Amino acid sequence: MNEDIVIIEDEGAGQSTPTPTIDDEALKQKARRKKILIISAASALLLIGIGVGLYVTLAPEPTTAPPTEKPKKETTHSDIATQRSSIEELIEKANLLYKRGDKEKALQIFEEIAQFNEALSHYNLGVAKMKEGAWAEALELFDKALASGEHRTPAALNAAVCAKQLGNQEAFKHYLDIAEAALPETAGTKLYSYYYALLRYYQGRPIETLAAATKPTSNFFMREHLKIGAQMANLLDDSALAIKFLEAEKNPQNELPLGLLYARLANYDEAAKHLDAAERYGLDPLRTLMAQALVHLKRNKFPDAALALERASLKDEANASRFYAIKTILKESLFDIDKGQRDFQKNFLLDRKTLYATLFYYAPFKIFNPNKTVADIKKGQLELLSEESAQAMAHLEHSARTSNINGKIAQGIKMALGWHITPAYKLFKELESRTTGHSILQYNLGLTYAQLGNYPMAYKHFLRAYHFDRTNYLAGIFTIICGELTNNDTRRIVMSLREDLQNSATKDNETLLYLSMLYYFDNNLGAAARWFDQSHDKEGAFERIFEILLAQKQNDAAQLKRSAAKLHRLLPKDILSNILYAYISYQDRPIKEFAYRAQELLKGNQLDLSSLYYGPVIVPALYVRLGFLTGLLPGIEQKLKARVRLERYDVENGLRALALAQIYLKKFEESYANYSHLIDALKVGDAQTVFQASVAAMASGRHAEAIGYLELAKALDPYNLESRVGLGLLYIEAGNLKAAANAFKVIDDKNFVSDYFDFIITN
């Protein structure tokens, strides 16, 4: 048991502080708090302020009793030791008896006074030696005090402390036995509860110690009662009671332990207040800074945490890191099916990444204009006839290259329409190295990047496509979307695109759609909603999904259901159209009814699973998530395993879906192996895959590998805040506070809460 030293000089300290009450049965249960382990029991004991043992200093009795109690008429020598009756009064009484001729009685009193003074001197000399750390000399003096028969209980307690410091466990127990035997001598006195609490404390009996500290027999040593009570309540993991003791003491030195105890109870706002006060008082600065950082992380105040970590790093990074060893973990809420069902039902169409991913899922690929190629060939033929051979050859070679590239683009589009997105992306990427200025190729490459969840690269190629051809309006629209997802400034693109669309000579269905989309992404919903008032000669999936996004943003439930029904009728076997239709139809129903409908959908055989195995990443992400929320994920995992084993042509997306399913199933080792194969062998390098690999690595205990993957994910997508949270926590774990601060300081979204990462204290 950790022990502390408190030097008690004046038994009048803290005379009238109210004492907290306890529930004895609750104490016996010793229930563990597991919401957050911000402090261990050991560290809290050190902070409550009671050092390495407790010892008592006795002094001559003041001439008057405390104002709340009347002095007793009769006083025994035992009362002299514990209640400190007036020595002067006894001397006066002895003198009076002597004058009256009762010499025998007077001499007896004088003998008692001399005995008391000698014992008191030995006792207080012993305490003085304890303060100097002269434990052996102090022990000799306490033995002399014990030999006099006076002050046996406090002398034995202090002798026990000396023996403990000298490493003599047998003597320590011997003196405690003396204190136990002498304890009844103090029964009924003002200090009985104090001696009783000290004795039980040293005997390692926290429940009895706490009971005595909670029910003092007087107001003497009230501050010490509160200190002992706080320590024992903390030892018994009753943080709430420990807080009551510390707050009753009203001591500024308690601000740090109060902050830590409130943190243990997961009351982080109150913890932060006390830790701020501890900082103002200069209490244990390094520990306070580290505690502040961890509490701010629990409050999702990432810049504040970064500042505290930075300051701790500048003061003494090596020593600051030793106070709280943390372990980064995945949030339990990630695997909570009931919570997941509620969150999905409430937030599915509120997440902008999900909304935009559905838009990219249904977005059209663009085909080349064959008329332009034919025109180039004819122009080259005319130049040959006019003997302008150099120009003719240049035009004919250009048309041949363009025809070849356009033919390859057609092949890539055919792959993509068959849901083989990854091979299509690879083909478009290879074609890009063979030509420049090809708006259609840049658009299609950007779209495959977007469908694979790589928005920084998608932004880059959509922007190029729009710059190469400003009539490629959809490339401009998608540049704005990807710019929003990657925090790029797109105001100039918005202005340019608005001008191009408004000045367009054609006002066909396609142009009206793009104009409405521009208004939508420019937050001009009134103008965007005119789309619903116009008649359209085209009823494609892309139009329907835009209507769903627009109706959702307008909170138009009726229109939302109409558009979802149209999309479902148009694509009855498509996984995403079915998920959207089920969600929109049942989102207002009781949660279990919604979950049952989702379960029916996944168990049915009417869905075309091609997009699950090969298509855009939004489909496996939603399908696996719903499988987890409906309890069907084990079967889905087996289905994915079978497909991956058989597939020879396009395995990446199926393997990605399998690895994700294994995270939800807590098969972290298998998930990590599959992600490693994707990244190392198959050269899949998008930010989302790398991030998920880091999750699997961390959950399987490979924290160094997790840091590597998170650094790569951050480089690929600097705006993925989850990567920064994970990195920051893992760097704290590794003792690199400066790197942790750098990771957290850029998380300036005040509403951001990590869905993945949490931490516990391990020391």
Side-chain angles (χ1 to χ4, degrees):
M1 180 179 70
N2 287 317
E3 298 165 357
D4 296 325
I5 293 177
V6 165
I7 302 173
I8 303 171
E9 300 288 357
D10 181 2
E11 90 179 356
Q15 297 274 327
S16 58
T17 307
T19 309
T21 58
I22 60 171
D23 180 345
D24 292 337
E25 186 58 34
L27 287 176
K28 291 175 183 176
Q29 291 176 358
K30 303 181 186 179
R32 285 276 171 192
R33 308 275 197 265
K34 292 190 177 179
K35 284 186 179 178
I36 168 180
L37 190 58
I38 264 290
I39 48 173
S40 66
S43 64
L45 296 180
L46 293 174
L47 288 169
I48 285 176
I50 307 186
V52 184
L54 289 144
Y55 53 91
V56 185
T57 301
L58 294 180
E61 171 73 13
T63 56
T64 58
T68 54
E69 301 191 28
K70 295 180 181 179
K72 292 187 177 181
K73 294 180 181 179
E74 296 289 333
T75 305
T76 67
H77 79 275
S78 176
D79 292 328
I80 294 171
T82 58
Q83 299 175 20
R84 302 184 182 183
S85 297
S86 170
I87 295 174
E88 290 83 357
E89 186 179 326
L90 287 174
I91 293 172
E92 186 179 337
K93 182 178 179 181
N95 285 330
L96 184 61
L97 288 170
Y98 194 87
K99 287 178 183 178
R100 288 178 179 174
D102 195 348
K103 296 181 180 180
E104 185 176 346
K105 201 167 186 179
L107 289 172
Q108 183 181 353
I109 292 175
F110 280 127
E111 185 179 346
E112 286 184 2
I113 291 170
Q115 220 173 23
F116 175 86
N117 282 335
E118 183 182 6
L120 185 62
S121 295
H122 288 144
Y123 183 95
N124 283 340
L125 278 171
V127 170
K129 291 296 181 182
M130 287 180 81
K131 290 180 180 180
E132 296 172 0
W135 306 107
E137 295 177 50
L139 185 57
E140 289 181 13
L141 290 163
F142 290 129
D143 278 335
K144 290 179 180 179
L146 285 168
S148 72
E150 301 292 340
H151 332 306
R152 290 206 307 154
T153 301
L157 288 171
N158 283 348
V161 172
C162 293
K164 183 78 169 177
Q165 291 292 337
L166 293 168
N168 191 336
Q169 188 63 30
E170 186 177 342
F172 175 69
K173 185 177 183 307
H174 167 70
Y175 286 116
L176 290 184
D177 289 342
I178 293 175
E180 180 81 60
L183 187 63
E185 296 172 6
T186 65
T189 67
K190 298 172 186 176
L191 296 180
Y192 175 74
S193 65
Y194 184 50
Y195 293 147
Y196 182 92
L198 290 177
L199 177 60
R200 299 301 178 234
Y201 170 78
Y202 289 128
Q203 289 174 332
R205 293 156 70 172
I207 294 178
E208 294 172 59
T209 306
L210 184 55
T214 309
K215 299 171 183 176
T217 50
S218 76
N219 287 329
F220 288 124
F221 294 109
M222 183 55 67
R223 175 168 287 183
E224 285 67 32
H225 273 91
L226 294 171
K227 285 181 181 293
I228 296 170
Q231 186 176 11
M232 293 301 99
N234 183 71
L235 188 65
L236 293 168
D237 285 340
D238 194 332
S239 299
L241 183 58
I243 286 170
K244 288 182 181 179
F245 277 111
L246 291 178
E247 289 183 337
E249 190 185 347
K250 295 181 173 59
N251 184 350
Q253 298 298 309
N254 289 338
E255 291 295 346
L256 179 54
L258 278 170
L260 299 175
L261 288 166
Y262 272 114
R264 180 190 280 180
L265 294 177
N267 187 344
Y268 303 121
D269 290 341
E270 196 65 28
K273 292 177 186 176
H274 286 285
L275 291 173
D276 287 346
E279 184 183 8
R280 289 195 300 273
Y281 289 123
L283 306 178
D284 202 345
L286 271 181
R287 185 189 290 274
T288 296
L289 282 171
M290 288 305 298
Q292 282 179 315
L294 298 183
V295 166
H296 286 320
L297 289 173
K298 289 293 181 179
R299 300 170 71 217
N300 301 306
K301 307 290 186 184
F302 297 102
D304 292 339
L307 180 60
L309 289 168
E310 205 163 43
R311 291 174 60 201
S313 175
L314 290 172
K315 275 182 176 291
D316 188 346
E317 184 171 72
N319 283 321
S321 300
R322 69 182 170 82
F323 285 113
Y324 302 107
I326 76 164
K327 180 181 179 183
T328 309
I329 60 172
L330 293 182
K331 282 190 170 180
E332 280 301 317
S333 57
L334 196 62
F335 307 101
D336 185 335
I337 291 180
D338 290 335
K339 182 180 183 300
Q341 288 176 348
R342 292 192 299 272
D343 288 349
F344 188 89
Q345 188 181 33
K346 180 180 178 182
N347 299 321
F348 172 44
L349 283 185
L350 296 179
D351 180 69
R352 64 175 183 166
K353 277 195 174 182
T354 300
L355 287 173
Y356 296 163
T358 61
L359 192 66
F360 288 129
Y361 177 86
Y362 290 111
F365 284 88
K366 286 186 176 290
I367 196 69
F368 58 91
N369 183 353
N371 293 330
K372 189 175 185 303
T373 304
V374 172
D376 280 343
I377 293 172
K378 287 182 177 180
K379 188 173 183 179
Q381 289 173 335
L382 289 172
E383 287 167 344
L384 280 174
L385 291 173
S386 64
E387 298 183 352
E388 294 179 2
S389 58
Q391 289 183 345
M393 289 302 296
H395 277 105
L396 290 173
E397 286 174 2
H398 179 264
S399 65
R401 285 197 306 271
T402 303
S403 295
N404 179 266
I405 289 171
N406 286 340
K408 293 291 187 182
I409 289 174
Q411 291 179 22
I413 292 173
K414 185 178 179 182
M415 293 174 187
L417 294 178
W419 294 124
H420 291 285
I421 300 300
T422 300
Y425 147 73
K426 291 178 179 178
L427 179 57
F428 294 146
K429 185 67 178 171
E430 190 270 331
L431 291 175
E432 185 199 21
S433 65
R434 293 164 48 186
T435 186
T436 57
H438 201 303
S439 177
I440 298 299
L441 175 59
Q442 291 293 332
Y443 168 86
N444 288 336
L445 180 56
L447 184 53
T448 55
Y449 270 123
Q451 291 184 342
L452 291 172
N454 192 338
Y455 297 117
M457 291 301 292
Y459 172 81
K460 172 183 172 182
H461 290 286
F462 284 136
L463 183 60
R464 284 181 182 174
Y466 179 63
H467 282 161
F468 291 154
D469 180 4
R470 286 182 53 165
T471 66
N472 192 342
Y473 303 131
L474 195 51
I477 295 289
F478 287 168
T479 301
I480 295 168
I481 296 175
C482 293
E484 183 182 337
L485 292 172
T486 56
N487 286 358
N488 279 292
D489 187 350
T490 59
R491 286 174 292 184
R492 291 179 63 184
I493 300 294
V494 170
M495 293 172 60
S496 173
L497 190 58
R498 184 187 297 118
E499 181 182 347
D500 292 341
L501 284 167
Q502 289 174 344
N503 295 335
S504 174
T506 59
K507 297 295 181 184
D508 56 9
N509 181 82
E510 198 170 287
T511 306
L512 292 173
L513 173 66
Y514 298 155
L515 194 56
S516 294
M517 292 182 74
L518 177 63
Y519 289 139
Y520 171 90
F521 291 110
D522 200 25
N523 288 313
N524 188 347
L525 295 185
R530 293 174 196 155
W531 169 261
F532 292 125
D533 302 328
Q534 298 160 346
S535 59
H536 310 296
D537 57 2
K538 185 178 180 181
E539 294 287 327
F542 188 58
E543 286 77 8
R544 299 292 77 77
I545 196 64
F546 171 64
E547 288 178 1
I548 288 173
L549 267 64
L550 182 54
Q552 188 277 332
K553 201 164 188 177
Q554 289 184 305
N555 294 315
D556 188 340
Q559 181 61 55
L560 193 62
K561 289 181 178 180
R562 283 195 298 271
S563 298
K566 287 180 183 179
L567 180 63
H568 186 251
R569 284 197 299 271
L570 193 64
L571 300 169
K573 294 186 177 183
D574 177 62
I575 292 176
L576 189 52
S577 74
N578 276 272
I579 291 175
L580 287 167
Y581 180 63
Y583 175 81
I584 291 168
S585 300
Y586 286 84
Q587 65 174 326
D588 296 327
R589 305 285 183 86
I591 184 65
K592 294 305 176 185
E593 187 177 344
F594 168 77
Y596 178 73
R597 177 69 186 92
Q599 190 179 61
E600 278 188 326
L601 172 67
L602 297 185
K603 288 171 68 175
N605 297 317
Q606 76 275 20
L607 298 180
D608 178 2
L609 298 182
S610 299
S611 60
L612 170 65
Y613 301 133
Y614 313 115
V617 293
I618 181 66
V619 172
L622 287 177
Y623 194 87
V624 167
R625 182 70 175 157
L626 280 177
F628 168 70
L629 297 178
T630 56
L632 299 177
L633 195 54
I636 291 173
E637 182 203 17
Q638 294 308 311
K639 191 183 297 185
L640 289 166
K641 277 185 174 180
R643 173 63 61 155
V644 167
R645 279 195 299 267
L646 294 172
E647 185 60 51
R648 293 292 178 269
Y649 166 63
D650 183 6
V651 73
E652 286 94 335
N653 283 8
L655 192 57
R656 192 178 354 225
L658 175 60
L660 179 61
Q662 288 166 335
I663 286 180
Y664 284 117
L665 292 171
K666 295 188 176 182
K667 296 183 177 181
F668 302 123
E669 291 285 350
E670 293 179 57
S671 178
Y672 175 75
N674 285 325
Y675 277 123
S676 296
H677 184 69
L678 275 166
I679 295 167
D680 298 334
L682 300 180
K683 306 303 179 186
V684 174
D686 65 278
Q688 187 60 24
T689 299
V690 173
F691 171 75
Q692 294 290 358
S694 76
V695 172
M698 194 204 68
S700 60
R702 295 174 172 84
H703 287 201
E705 289 86 344
I707 288 176
Y709 281 133
L710 285 169
E711 284 287 6
L712 178 56
K714 184 186 74 172
L716 292 167
D717 184 1
Y719 310 103
N720 183 350
L721 301 184
E722 288 285 4
S723 296
R724 293 185 177 276
V725 173
L727 262 181
L729 293 178
L730 287 168
Y731 276 133
I732 293 175
E733 187 177 317
N736 191 341
L737 304 186
K738 186 174 182 181
N742 288 335
F744 292 133
K745 68 171 55 173
V746 298
I747 305 177
D748 55 0
D749 182 348
K750 294 181 180 178
N751 298 315
F752 177 73
V753 178
S754 173
D755 291 326
Y756 286 88
F757 300 113
D758 201 353
F759 66 91
I760 58 173
I761 306 294
T762 58
N763 65 338

